[in-house]
Amino acid sequence: MSAVNKVLVVGGGISGLTLAIALSKQDIDVVVVEVSTNVRNQAGVGLSLQGNSIAALGEIGLAEACIKEGMAANYLNIRKADGELLMHQPIMQMGGTGYPGTVGISRSSLHGILLDAMDTKNVIFKQGVTFVHMDENPDGVLVRFSDGTEGNFDFVVGADGLYSKVRRLLFPDVKPQHCGQSVWRAGVPRPKGNFTTELHFGGPFGAVGICPISIDDGYVYIVDKSEKGERHEGAESSREMLDKLQSYSGHLIESCKSSLLESNNVSFRPLEWVLVEEPWYKGRIMIIGDAAHSGPPVLAQGAAMGIEDAIVLSQELSTSDCLDEALSRFTSRRFARAKMVVENSLQLCRWEVEHSASPNEVSQLMIESQTLLSQPF
């Protein structure tokens, strides 16, 4: 019993690939189109998969591969700007005691795990292709693609990120908004002794962190205030980021500084947010993941929410023979949880920008958020 037999997924990122794998395990045929031409070497440095996202990946048999490939931990370190250790902060195991609290992993490694897990019997993956037109009809959705082909699908899912083309089609008035912060990131060799996220507070910026993503690699990041439209690009980005780190010290930071100018993966990104009100679909076309809900990465839940969306959607589509019923149940399971993550992330972001909350207030909201995220999705 399934509400659909053939699904188009627009977007070959984390949410889209997870959905394709989950649907294929239910013998649902999937076509994935991705506008970029090299998903395996996806742009970006790394990310932290929190316990709830590891548990969700466990639903499709990929938790252990991610844990093995990345760096797992059940605590993080909080330090002063000079590197002095203030405390070991336990990380709530939001996926249950069977999974670590967090796993740092490179984006290319995570994409590789997802790509290798796709069942080519049920999934067709087209890179360098996107849609150019969709026309819903009594038999499904007729889609024309940029490579000149077309196909008819029972259901279409836009998992095409914050600047979603599918969202513009369904909800043209909903646009990402700047949240007042930006993040600098640089890939670096993992500093000796760096086994978990190291957060440095008390300097001129909101936070400076170091995150290990494999035995050999890590990344350093700076969360800073920024104006809407601010950009930093090109060869000078490494020098600008190094200059910002001069107010921070300690052996971990110094290790990052020593290799930053040689990094070929330095980026500056203004942080934006978006939240589409429920439901996230019209007719036979839907959006999930960052296309529907995205906030600043304060809670490290961006990938987790997209992975959870994909797992829940596959469950509902495969256990109902009525599409409207499946999508209604999906909405009841997902909207409030995703909305909480966006709203609480924005509140934490505002507090950082305005310096308007006490450490206790910040800690309380983070614990409340993590407690809710520990509940089944």
Side-chain angles (χ1 to χ4, degrees):
M1 178 178 66
S2 174
V4 295
N5 295 309
K6 186 177 182 182
V7 174
L8 171 66
V9 178
V10 179
I14 295 169
S15 303
L17 294 178
T18 302
L19 179 60
I21 295 165
L23 290 174
S24 70
K25 288 181 178 294
Q26 304 298 330
D27 290 323
I28 296 172
D29 292 331
V30 185
V31 174
V32 182
V33 293
E34 165 57 43
V35 69
S36 69
T37 57
N38 192 356
V39 171
R40 191 173 292 270
N41 295 314
Q42 184 77 8
V45 185
L47 70 160
S48 295
L49 293 173
Q50 301 302 293
N52 57 309
S53 59
I54 298 295
L57 287 167
E59 295 286 327
I60 53 173
L62 298 182
E64 290 305 318
C66 291
I67 294 169
K68 182 179 179 180
E69 190 73 22
M71 293 286 286
N74 288 318
Y75 70 96
L76 57 82
N77 288 330
I78 297 178
R79 298 178 181 272
K80 291 182 180 180
D82 63 5
E84 180 186 344
L85 179 65
L86 294 174
M87 66 181 299
H88 298 290
Q89 174 70 51
I91 298 174
M92 192 178 297
Q93 290 175 268
M94 292 178 281
T97 56
Y99 297 107
T102 185
V103 174
I105 190 169
S106 73
R107 287 188 176 272
S108 60
S109 293
L110 179 55
H111 278 83
I113 290 168
L114 294 169
L115 288 168
D116 291 343
M118 282 201 303
D119 184 351
T120 53
K121 179 172 68 73
N122 292 103
V123 181
I124 297 172
F125 184 40
K126 297 182 177 183
Q127 297 186 73
V129 178
T130 188
F131 76 94
V132 294
H133 184 74
M134 293 187 190
D135 182 23
E136 190 167 348
N137 58 69
D139 298 321
V141 184
L142 180 63
V143 183
R144 293 204 304 270
F145 298 104
S146 58
D147 63 357
T149 62
E150 65 179 35
N152 203 68
F153 300 88
D154 300 323
F155 186 50
V156 175
V157 182
D160 50 342
L162 181 62
Y163 305 110
S164 169
K165 186 177 178 182
V166 180
R167 186 186 64 236
R168 292 199 302 270
L169 179 69
L170 296 182
F171 309 102
D173 294 332
V174 180
K175 297 178 175 61
Q177 303 294 314
H178 183 54
C179 69
Q181 280 188 322
S182 60
V183 61
W184 294 79
R185 290 188 180 94
V188 294
R190 182 178 68 87
K192 184 177 180 180
N194 177 216
F195 300 106
T196 187
T197 296
E198 306 276 354
L199 288 175
H200 297 69
F201 294 106
F205 306 112
V208 168
I210 305 168
C211 180
I213 55 178
S214 73
I215 291 296
D216 298 319
D217 300 314
Y219 66 94
V220 57
Y221 62 90
I222 302 170
V223 179
D224 192 11
K225 292 182 182 180
S226 69
E227 300 297 326
K228 183 178 180 180
E230 185 175 338
R231 292 287 184 271
H232 299 270
E233 299 174 342
E236 290 302 311
S237 295
S238 298
R239 174 57 63 184
E240 289 184 72
M241 189 171 179
L242 181 60
D243 288 344
K244 288 178 177 293
L245 288 175
Q246 295 311 309
S247 300
Y248 298 81
S249 57
H251 75 279
L252 297 170
I253 289 288
E254 294 303 326
S255 174
C256 294
K257 288 179 185 177
S258 68
S259 54
L260 201 152
L261 291 180
E262 298 173 3
S263 175
N264 59 5
N265 199 342
V266 179
S267 65
F268 170 88
R269 181 168 70 91
L271 297 178
E272 296 174 291
W273 68 275
V274 70
L275 177 63
V276 179
E277 291 298 323
E278 61 180 321
W280 300 331
Y281 63 91
K282 289 184 179 179
R284 292 175 173 267
I285 307 174
M286 179 178 221
I287 53 174
I288 64 169
D290 284 350
H293 50 83
S294 180
V298 193
L299 294 172
Q301 283 292 317
M305 290 296 98
I307 292 167
E308 286 185 4
D309 280 356
I311 298 300
V312 172
L313 183 57
S314 70
Q315 291 172 347
E316 297 299 345
L317 289 175
S318 62
T319 56
S320 174
D321 57 5
C322 174
L323 181 59
D324 285 341
E325 180 181 309
L327 298 184
S328 177
R329 289 206 305 258
F330 170 87
T331 300
S332 68
R333 290 176 65 181
R334 295 304 302 156
F335 180 73
R337 186 175 173 100
K339 181 180 181 183
M340 179 276 292
V341 168
V342 173
E343 291 182 342
N344 287 7
S345 296
L346 282 172
Q347 182 61 70
L348 290 163
C349 173
R350 292 188 189 102
W351 283 345
E352 280 189 359
V353 170
E354 299 166 357
H355 300 285
S356 57
S358 69
N360 284 340
E361 288 175 303
V362 172
S363 177
Q364 181 178 348
L365 185 56
M366 293 193 77
I367 291 171
E368 288 175 2
S369 303
Q370 293 168 357
T371 300
L372 288 169
L373 290 168
S374 299
Q375 302 304 310
F377 57 86

